[in-house]
Amino acid sequence: MVFEKNGYRWPQPLKGNQPQIWYGGDYNPDQWPESVWDEDVRLMLKAKVNLVSVGIFSWAKIEPREGEYDFCWLDRVIDKLGRAGIAVDLASATASPPMWLTQAHPEVLWRDEKGDVCWPGARQHWRPTSPVFREYALKLCRAMAQHYKDNPYVVAWHVSNEYGCHNRFDYSDDAMRAFQDWCQKRYGTIEAVNEAWGTAFWAQAMTDFSQILPPRYIGDGNFMNPGKLLDYQRFSSDALKDFFVAERDELSRITPSKPLTTNFMVSSVGVTADYDDWASEVDFVSNDHYFMPGEAHVDEMAYSSSLVDGIARKRPWFLMENSTSAVNWRSINYRKEPGQTIRDAMVHLAMGADAICFFQWRQSRAGAEKFHSAMLPHAGEHSQVFRDVCELGDDLQQLGDAGLLGTRLAKSRVAVVFDYESEWATEHTATPTQNVRHFTEPLDWFRALADCGITADMVTLRSDWDTYELAVLPSVYLLDRANAQRVRDYVAGGGKLIVTYYTGISDERDHIWLGGYPGAIRDVVGVRSEEFVPMGDDAGALHHLDLSNGTVAHDIADHITQIDDTATVLATYKAGEYTGMDGVPALTVNRFGKGLAGYVGCRLGRLGIAASLPALFEALGFELDQTDGSDDVLRVVRVGGVDDVDDSASHGGQPSVRFIFYFNRSRDIVTVELEGEPLVVSHATVDAEHAKGSIEPNGVIVVKG
Ligand code: GAL
């Protein structure tokens, strides 16, 4: 069997075992003497670990000299794990090349935008477009696949690691040639490239594909062609994907029955690759997520994991990495507070993960990540972190036994759209304000909806956002003709849509839709804006705008000068006489066909959105139902027994099984009405008689309903 695009295959349990929620982490036995391995296995079993990812950075140990393979140590450790009932997610081991390779072939090292070589000394020092590197990496894939093809303990392939984490943009000559080919494929003629990039501006016209350069250093304070930059983002995602596909195909040709994945980096700020596009290339989606310290912690995690679920199209996905406590790569590495290790795992699980894994099993003693937390910390077995890890292992087993596998995240009534290309395009430096890009907005909407008791689904522009009762397009800056038509059809057909400022401004080439903003969908929203009104901290300049509904706009507003007869104004600006903004519409709702489209013409932030939502909901005819939670509780439902994963419970039907997760979003204790039998109660208490739960700030309750 060869790889089936868009297929779905999940790692199967070891022979004789029942399917379980996978639980474990990255395991780097090559960092430790073999004498430690037995203790590792003993403690893994104590924590109920049932899967580890092995060999991710082991190329130098597996192939110490060119063509000389040493699988003995890896065989021994896999055997030890497998015999203990611990499955292995085996790496292709290609993430970081050994010194002998880069010494012999320095031409595989990637170059920065100034053309400087990025030398070995850390990891991922290779360029995705290097034919030489590809040859070596594929050779290792072949050797790994040949050696482990019949190994019963290897249940999945972990191909490379976080593609593009460090080598996302390469500006080498290899990259240049590949970019030229990519442009040729996308555009066909150099004239079409010129047209797409608007090269008539600043004498940038090209007469041959060989004149296409990567966006190399152009001097400080200068502005790169935005069309080229946007295409370089697309190209870089595709070049990495192409490399992944080559590695994947090499492995799956030899081991067709083993499912493959590679770990994505989906988060509220993660746009290294267009993971929505990559998702159809893996057997199962897996993600690495690291918590955002501070007050957004639980919301951001829910947001990100919901987006992974959207990318996975609601099929089970794998949390490949998260941390038990502190990371080591921020300037201040906050530890997790008591309860957060278990609560965070439950957030991912609630949002559709069927596997919870950490970076890493045993905390390193040396090397760049020695201060990164792990399942087994420096302090050892007798530590709070390890006790939490064991408790989590028990919880996961219990949820597995109770039937959580086979259920999926229930479909919400509300979708919030995330779009990789809109983020890439708005990262350009010559825009109305650097304080606004696509991803300043979606997390605010997810949080504001949660403030109204709604757990929205985060989905991408390519997905089925137009099947939801209500859809939000938050600063979806790029809308091509087809997507603009989808928006039009959705509302015309009866959909309820909310659109914000900075949506539908440009087409897929980042050419502005003319005639007034938002040019792509002006007819749908029924407003026309002539100018952006940025705001900032410069003394004497416009700092903010008050709205008639009591909220305040910051950073940017649209100067709406015209509204259609079919539109109603819900709020206007109250501004000084000479600002030109007094009385200008800020929030509107337009009837279009059978549906309604709300327009939010400024950046209100989470609290301003939340305060504006009741009026928007009313104008859109969107009613909250009693299953929606409260502002300080995030309620997430996984359902089973239904094919289309609609949350039938809130729409009349009765799915055969439901798991309801309650998370405390506040810093106070909250109480919830429990809708079933409690299974997990962490940093919380339950009054079973009255079906009530009381949840501490970092706590969680999970019930089966
Ligand atoms: C990930 C990476 C891991 C480890 C981890 C630390 O980006 O895949 O190998 O470095 O971060 O947070």
Side-chain angles (χ1 to χ4, degrees), residues 57 123 161-162 288 290 321 329 359 369 372:
F57 295 105
R123 61 177 166 179
N161 191 65
E162 292 188 344
D288 296 353
Y290 289 93
E321 293 180 22
W329 38 262
F359 176 82
E369 296 187 318
H372 195 292

Side-chain angles (χ1 to χ4, degrees), residues 100-119:
W100 58 257
L101 196 165
T102 51
Q103 186 180 36
H105 295 286
E107 72 275 21
V108 308
L109 300 169
W110 64 276
R111 285 177 185 261
D112 72 6
E113 53 175 2
K114 287 191 169 167
D116 287 340
V117 173
C118 295
W119 295 98

Side-chain angles (χ1 to χ4, degrees), residues 20-56:
Q20 284 174 299
I21 298 168
W22 290 118
Y23 180 48
D26 285 10
Y27 180 38
N28 297 302
D30 37 332
Q31 290 178 10
W32 296 93
E34 286 202 32
S35 52
V36 172
W37 298 357
D38 284 327
E39 198 201 33
D40 282 332
V41 171
R42 175 180 73 80
L43 293 175
M44 284 177 193
L45 293 177
K46 187 168 175 190
K48 299 206 166 57
V49 162
N50 54 25
L51 174 143
V52 287
S53 297
V54 181
I56 296 172

Side-chain angles (χ1 to χ4, degrees), residues 80-401:
K80 206 179 268 297
L81 291 161
R83 282 173 191 275
I86 300 164
V88 171
D89 167 47
L90 185 60
S92 61
T94 49
S96 230
M99 289 307 281
W100 58 257
L101 196 165
T102 51
Q103 186 180 36
H105 295 286
E107 72 275 21
V108 308
L109 300 169
W110 64 276
R111 285 177 185 261
D112 72 6
E113 53 175 2
K114 287 191 169 167
D116 287 340
V117 173
C118 295
W119 295 98
R123 61 177 166 179
Q124 242 179 28
H125 36 279
W126 53 272
R127 52 177 89 156
T129 54
S130 162
V132 176
F133 186 68
R134 182 179 287 218
E135 202 182 307
Y136 277 98
L138 295 190
K139 206 167 131 210
L140 181 60
C141 288
R142 261 192 311 279
M144 292 290 286
Q146 289 293 0
H147 193 85
Y148 290 104
K149 66 177 187 305
D150 299 319
N151 190 302
Y153 306 132
V154 175
V155 297
W157 285 112
H158 182 299
V159 189
S160 197
N161 191 65
E162 292 188 344
Y163 285 93
C165 181
H166 308 285
N167 58 354
R168 176 180 175 198
F169 297 123
D170 166 37
Y171 301 84
S172 65
D173 285 349
D174 280 333
M176 178 184 70
R177 282 185 289 272
F179 186 42
Q180 291 166 351
D181 292 347
W182 184 92
C183 289
Q184 190 141 22
K185 234 184 248 154
R186 183 175 172 96
Y187 294 106
T189 65
I190 194 68
E191 288 74 26
V193 183
N194 280 318
E195 167 60 21
W197 294 359
T199 58
F201 191 80
W202 285 353
Q204 294 172 351
M206 299 163 291
T207 51
D208 190 85
F209 280 99
S210 61
Q211 293 163 11
I212 292 180
L213 298 175
R216 288 175 176 156
Y217 183 64
I218 46 172
D220 293 328
N222 213 337
F223 298 102
M224 179 58 69
N225 179 307
K228 177 194 278 200
L229 266 189
L230 175 59
D231 271 344
Y232 211 67
Q233 301 253 22
R234 292 179 173 129
F235 157 76
S236 299
S237 179
D238 285 353
L240 288 161
K241 188 179 71 175
D242 209 55
F243 199 93
F244 161 70
V245 166
E247 295 197 87
R248 178 201 73 192
D249 287 352
E250 203 61 46
L251 293 164
S252 71
R253 196 170 49 78
I254 302 166
T255 64
S257 60
K258 295 198 194 295
L260 299 98
T261 192
T262 185
N263 39 353
F264 296 171
M265 295 178 281
V266 175
S267 76
S268 63
V269 293
V271 288
T272 301
D274 181 344
Y275 293 117
D276 192 53
D277 172 47
W278 282 54
S280 61
E281 302 288 355
V282 293
D283 282 323
F284 59 99
V285 165
S286 58
N287 195 49
D288 296 353
H289 186 275
Y290 289 93
F291 74 103
M292 189 182 267
E295 62 86 36
H297 183 146
V298 70
D299 285 0
E300 195 281 337
M301 188 164 276
Y303 165 99
S304 298
S305 48
S306 173
L307 181 55
V308 181
D309 193 69
I311 286 170
R313 301 294 188 268
K314 293 209 176 289
R315 289 185 285 220
W317 54 274
F318 208 103
L319 180 69
M320 192 60 88
E321 293 180 22
N322 81 127
S323 64
T324 54
S325 189
V327 300
N328 68 316
W329 38 262
R330 300 187 203 269
S331 50
I332 302 174
N333 295 300
Y334 298 97
R335 69 164 188 160
K336 285 195 177 175
E337 293 177 350
Q340 290 182 341
T341 310
I342 292 172
R343 190 276 314 271
D344 288 0
M346 291 297 146
V347 172
H348 294 286
L349 206 68
M351 291 293 184
D354 276 359
I356 300 293
C357 291
F358 292 93
F359 176 82
Q360 58 177 327
W361 161 251
R362 181 184 279 274
Q363 186 167 12
S364 299
R365 185 172 195 185
E369 296 187 318
K370 61 185 183 297
F371 287 117
H372 195 292
S373 61
M375 299 174 84
L376 184 62
H378 289 155
E381 177 182 1
H382 303 292
S383 60
Q384 189 57 47
V385 167
F386 191 67
R387 281 191 290 277
D388 285 348
V389 162
C390 292
E391 188 180 329
L392 178 57
D394 289 336
D395 289 343
L396 294 175
Q397 188 173 61
Q398 183 163 2
L399 288 167
D401 292 347

